[in-house]
Amino acid sequence: MWRGLWTLVARAARGPRSPRPCTRQGSGVPAAGAGATIFALSSGQGRCGIAVIRTSGPASGHALRSLTAPRDLPPARSACLRLLSHPCSGEPLDCALVLWFPGPQSFTGEDCAEFHVHGGPAVVSGVLQALGSVPGLRPAEAGEFTRRAFAHGKLSLTEVEGLADLIHAETEAQRRQALRQLDGELGHLCHGWAKTLTKASPLFVRPRPDLPILCALAHVEAYIDFGEDDNLEESVLERANSEVRELELALGAHLRDARRGQRLRSGAHVVVAGPPNAGKSSLVNLLSRKPVSIVSPEPGTTRDVLETPVDLAGFPALLSDTAGLREGAGPVEQEGVRRARGRLEQADLILAVLDASELASPSSRNFLDTIVALAGAGSPSGNSQRLLLVLNKSDLLPPGGPDPSPNLPPHLLLSCLTGEGLDGLLEALRKELAEVCGDPSTGPPLLTRARHQHHLRGCLDALRHYAQTRDLALAAEALRLARGHLARITGGGGTEEILDVIFRDFCVGK
């Protein structure tokens, strides 16, 4: 219904006007070619208590006057109660709160207006169609409000990405990370790095004792311009080299952590594995709080990989239920086992599940000697895979008895039937996922997108080229290239194609 409504509104804005002239138009209509004014429903679609409709552009004041005539514009950034009427027919539409945000003190940097109307479909439809009848207004495209804020310098590109991530955040960790990026932490970090490569005043300035050149690029270019003629001290280049080495170390540390930020944004891959009938599917259902997998006492019920996105202790995760690992089963189950082993190789975290009452069984011992032992030993490169060993069905153990597994690696006892031990498992998951995804509450800002990683790699490559070259002109050019990569992270020099990809993730009203 809402999609059809928006089509009607767009048609009304583009199509021929009603032959009846609008008799209640206010003054201040923008001149032709002054720029389009956009409007859209900014709150969620569907019935709600209050719906927010907003405009941005030079005709926003005219639109607000047209719908609230004969009243004048309300005071800036103050909510006022107004009767909204159709500017052509004069028909009352709703009694609403309206706000006026004159530019540049607004979200987009342009004149903006907001209409807080009752959230019924008929009211929203009537106000949108009324705005579509005002000359100079058109429906907004997806992300167009935020794109205008970026164009007017209200948001950097990393802050735009933070806003998009905040809108799509589904877990506490994602919300915290998005807020930090929206607050400009990643942008400020990149600007700090850029200041190491350049200075705010124009380049090629003669250095003076009372105005030292503090940045690497300025140091090198000053040496090129004045080194031979004015006997500029070679300590200038030494300072540049020192600054570049420090920046290389900082960039390398962030690139090593780059996958953590991407996992935080898209979700860590958590694979539940174990021998047949250990309770893997029961654990997946317990953690996802819905019946994702079929649970049966018959071994080998799960024969394919079942995946579901979940919120695990505040972190996003893709939880995979896999076939029980055993040999000698039929061809269909063996294909499931093959797929399960493939998922284990891709896992960011393995939840290894064993039946606490069957630890001496051949399938349990084989699983411990292969999957659990290999994950702890790690790959030939020395990177061990993260694994949590869970002993399920603790309700089958004799109460008050000794630990059934004193010789096992560190493990957690759990009963999927009674829920006992779930809190301990969630706390362990929180700690493991904080290592896998990064803790958004502490530490430096994370790199959440492949674009960030690409430009930091480009910057690092340019700095390495600077360190290797003996030609000062080439060294200065390498520093300029490095600075350009940092600028592109926050939006400087970005191509239209990249901007289109970023802004199309927004809804129409944002």
Side-chain angles (χ1 to χ4, degrees):
M1 180 192 71
W2 286 97
R3 187 177 300 168
L5 166 62
W6 193 246
T7 303
L8 290 174
V9 173
R11 231 178 249 163
R14 291 192 299 265
R17 303 287 176 190
S18 168
R20 176 177 177 175
C22 291
T23 59
R24 300 178 55 187
Q25 291 186 7
S27 60
V29 179
T37 296
I38 55 174
F39 68 94
L41 174 67
S42 291
S43 54
Q45 296 181 350
R47 288 180 175 84
C48 55
I50 298 294
V52 178
I53 298 170
R54 64 176 173 175
T55 70
S56 179
S60 290
H62 171 59
L64 185 51
R65 289 190 189 95
S66 297
L67 268 67
T68 60
R71 307 290 293 274
D72 203 354
L73 291 176
R77 289 170 291 280
S78 296
C80 294
L81 189 64
R82 293 284 191 270
L83 175 66
L84 304 184
S85 303
H86 197 287
C88 296
S89 66
E91 178 185 2
L93 300 172
D94 191 21
C95 193
L97 287 177
V98 297
L99 293 99
W100 167 239
F101 300 95
Q105 303 300 320
S106 67
F107 172 73
T108 63
E110 303 175 326
D111 289 348
C112 293
E114 288 188 3
F115 303 84
H116 295 216
V117 303
H118 292 95
V123 175
V124 173
S125 171
V127 175
L128 288 175
Q129 292 191 44
L131 288 171
S133 71
V134 177
L137 268 69
R138 66 165 174 82
E141 298 176 1
E144 191 168 2
F145 285 92
T146 306
R147 189 159 191 162
R148 292 188 177 201
F150 170 72
H152 289 94
K154 292 292 182 176
L155 295 172
S156 70
L157 200 54
T158 51
E159 290 168 345
V160 167
E161 291 168 331
L163 178 58
D165 290 344
L166 184 61
I167 292 172
H168 295 292
E170 295 181 348
T171 69
E172 280 293 301
Q174 288 175 320
R175 178 186 62 78
R176 290 182 185 133
Q177 167 60 25
L179 276 174
R180 289 185 67 183
Q181 190 162 323
L182 177 58
D183 196 40
E185 288 195 24
L186 180 57
H188 294 155
L189 181 64
C190 292
H191 285 307
W193 288 334
K195 285 181 181 178
T196 306
L197 300 175
T198 189
K199 61 175 186 171
S201 56
L203 297 176
F204 302 103
V205 176
R206 182 182 297 272
R208 306 192 310 266
D210 60 332
L211 184 62
I213 298 178
L214 299 178
C215 303
L217 181 54
H219 287 155
V220 173
E221 295 196 346
Y223 193 87
I224 293 172
D225 282 359
F226 307 111
E228 294 181 0
D229 298 336
D230 295 353
N231 296 319
L232 191 64
E233 294 181 4
E234 291 196 10
S235 62
V236 168
L237 283 182
E238 292 175 4
R239 287 200 298 273
N241 292 335
S242 174
E243 290 160 356
V244 168
R245 283 193 295 270
E246 290 178 6
L247 183 55
E248 279 188 86
L249 292 175
L251 293 177
H254 270 76
L255 283 171
R256 284 191 295 274
D257 280 348
R259 281 211 63 204
R260 300 172 79 197
Q262 292 179 9
R263 289 191 199 104
L264 180 59
R265 183 169 175 263
S266 59
H269 194 182
V270 179
V271 176
V272 181
N277 226 23
K280 302 181 298 298
S281 297
S282 297
L283 179 56
V284 168
N285 292 346
L286 183 64
L287 292 175
S288 59
R289 298 183 292 275
K290 60 183 178 182
V292 174
S293 304
I294 297 174
V295 176
S296 167
E298 178 184 344
T301 303
T302 303
R303 298 190 174 189
D304 205 347
V305 178
L306 301 177
E307 296 181 329
T308 182
V310 295
D311 177 347
L312 285 182
F315 288 86
L318 182 66
L319 193 60
S320 297
D321 187 13
T322 60
L325 301 179
R326 64 174 175 176
E327 303 296 334
V332 175
E333 189 173 345
Q334 279 306 300
E335 174 61 20
V337 170
R338 187 189 67 79
R339 295 186 182 188
R341 295 187 185 278
R343 283 297 194 278
L344 283 171
E345 294 175 0
Q346 303 166 8
D348 297 313
L349 173 63
I350 298 172
L351 277 180
V353 184
L354 291 174
D355 185 338
S357 63
E358 296 286 343
L359 294 177
S361 67
S363 59
S364 294
R365 299 311 308 176
N366 181 62
F367 182 77
L368 285 168
D369 294 339
T370 54
I371 304 301
V372 175
L374 289 176
S379 63
S381 63
N383 296 323
S384 61
Q385 208 166 15
R386 292 194 170 272
L387 180 143
L388 280 177
L389 180 58
V390 180
L391 304 186
N392 187 30
K393 304 185 182 180
S394 62
D395 53 286
L396 298 181
L397 299 176
D403 188 341
S405 50
N407 299 322
L408 285 182
H411 56 272
L412 298 160
L413 284 174
L414 173 71
S415 170
C416 289
L417 181 64
T418 66
E420 185 178 359
L422 179 60
D423 290 341
L425 173 60
L426 290 176
E427 178 60 21
L429 282 169
R430 186 192 65 77
K431 292 178 180 178
E432 291 290 332
L433 291 173
E435 291 295 324
V436 169
C437 300
D439 188 347
S441 302
T442 60
L446 298 170
L447 306 177
T448 56
R449 301 190 182 230
R451 187 182 70 84
H452 306 160
Q453 195 171 349
H454 167 76
H455 287 302
L456 282 194
R457 279 207 187 101
C459 180
L460 190 57
D461 289 343
L463 294 182
R464 287 169 178 163
H465 181 71
Y466 163 85
Q468 295 168 359
T469 186
R470 298 294 181 183
D471 187 286
L472 286 178
L474 292 178
E477 180 60 27
L479 293 181
R480 273 191 290 269
L481 288 174
R483 183 186 57 179
H485 278 290
L486 292 177
R488 288 186 180 91
I489 293 178
T490 56
T495 65
E496 284 297 313
E497 290 78 6
I498 293 174
L499 297 178
D500 288 341
V501 169
I502 292 172
F503 287 104
R504 74 185 179 197
D505 285 340
F506 285 89
C507 59
V508 169
K510 197 64 181 175

